[in-house]
Amino acid sequence: MYCKNCGKEIDDKAEICIYCGCGTGQKQAAKDETNVLAIVGFIFSFFFAVVGLICSILGYRKAAELGGSGRNLSIAGIIISAVWIGIVMIALITV
Ligand SMILES: [Zn+2]
């Protein structure tokens, strides 16, 4: 892609232009993507723990890879899913 500010060719995944330091808006788009996965994982963790766990792990990996956004939410999703799975396991054993 080309920098919107100076017009020089830069890396497609670059967050800022290496020539002028102008932001490319790439990071913002990535943040939204991360949040969606983390939010979906968090919501599903209450209803479908296994699906919530998978989405939360994917959200966590993506957040770690991209630098932070959605990390806490995905951790919450993993914990809630794990607790639910634990409760179900205990219920299955004790019933
Ligand atoms: Zn530039």
Side-chain angles (χ1 to χ4, degrees):
M1 69 176 174
Y2 295 91
C3 174
K4 282 176 278 184
N5 192 45
C6 68
K8 285 185 175 141
E9 190 169 8
I10 51 170
D11 191 276
D12 283 344
K13 287 175 182 171
E15 287 168 10
I16 56 161
C17 173
I18 55 168
Y19 300 103
C20 69
C22 178
T24 59
Q26 286 285 102
K27 203 174 184 180
Q28 197 56 49
K31 269 183 181 175
D32 293 337
E33 196 188 327
T34 305
N35 279 337
V36 169
L37 205 54
I39 290 165
V40 168
F42 182 73
I43 293 164
F44 269 115
S45 68
F46 289 98
F47 306 102
F48 304 104
V50 176
V51 179
L53 187 64
I54 293 164
C55 287
S56 295
I57 289 168
L58 292 174
Y60 178 76
R61 278 188 181 178
K62 207 143 206 186
E65 187 184 304
L66 296 169
S69 182
R71 194 167 177 267
N72 292 336
L73 197 62
S74 58
I75 290 169
I78 291 167
I79 292 167
I80 293 162
S81 302
V83 168
W84 269 117
I85 292 166
I87 289 167
V88 171
M89 289 288 205
I90 291 163
L92 287 172
I93 292 162
T94 52
V95 168

